[in-house]
Amino acid sequence: MPNDQWNLKELLKDSNCRLTGQRQEILRILAENRNRHFSAKEIYDLLKERDAGIGLSTVYRTLPLLEELKLAYRIHLNDGHMRYQYSTPEERYGHHHLICKNCGAILDMIEIDTRIKLI
């Protein structure tokens, strides 16, 4: 898990929630893939590969909590799935996305601005 300035245990405690291994693992998936946009099923599949023993319903219950704590950003795309991206309380921001019609890749507009400046 990245070494962010905030304390996950304290954030959860302030929200009357406990720090569980399942919550840590779900957040770890998001944090290790900061620029990816995951559906709950995709997070579940990664957890399954790691033999984390976390069910899909736990992932679905945890994601709104992480969003409430500003540790995940919910993204509404036209693919029929809610997607989530890692965030921190300090970095919280909304941004636009471009979706490739051929391959389905999702790009943050911020990434595109950076790439254009590099060219």
Side-chain angles (χ1 to χ4, degrees), residues 26-117:
I26 293 167
L27 186 59
R28 182 172 286 121
I29 293 283
L30 291 170
E32 289 173 357
N33 300 279
R34 287 176 178 253
N35 296 321
R36 294 217 20 221
H37 309 84
F38 290 107
S39 68
K41 176 75 167 78
E42 290 168 334
I43 293 170
Y44 169 73
D45 289 341
L46 288 171
L47 291 166
K48 200 169 155 183
E49 287 175 16
R50 295 180 180 193
D51 284 328
I54 299 172
L56 182 57
S57 61
T58 300
V59 175
Y60 275 108
R61 283 191 310 267
T62 301
L63 289 171
L65 173 64
L66 294 178
E67 182 185 11
E68 182 182 320
L69 296 172
K70 298 182 173 124
L71 300 176
Y73 179 74
R74 182 174 36 170
I75 303 161
H76 302 272
L77 301 176
N78 291 332
D79 65 354
H81 299 281
M82 288 291 188
R83 296 192 175 272
Y84 292 85
Q85 184 174 13
Y86 178 77
S87 183
T88 69
E90 294 88 20
E91 295 173 356
R92 183 90 172 140
Y93 66 98
H95 56 274
H96 297 282
H97 299 89
L98 291 179
I99 305 168
C100 177
K101 289 184 177 182
N102 293 326
C103 69
I106 304 166
L107 293 176
D108 294 329
M109 287 296 292
I110 295 166
E111 291 177 29
I112 293 166
D113 288 345
T114 304
R115 289 179 189 173
I116 290 171
K117 289 176 186 172

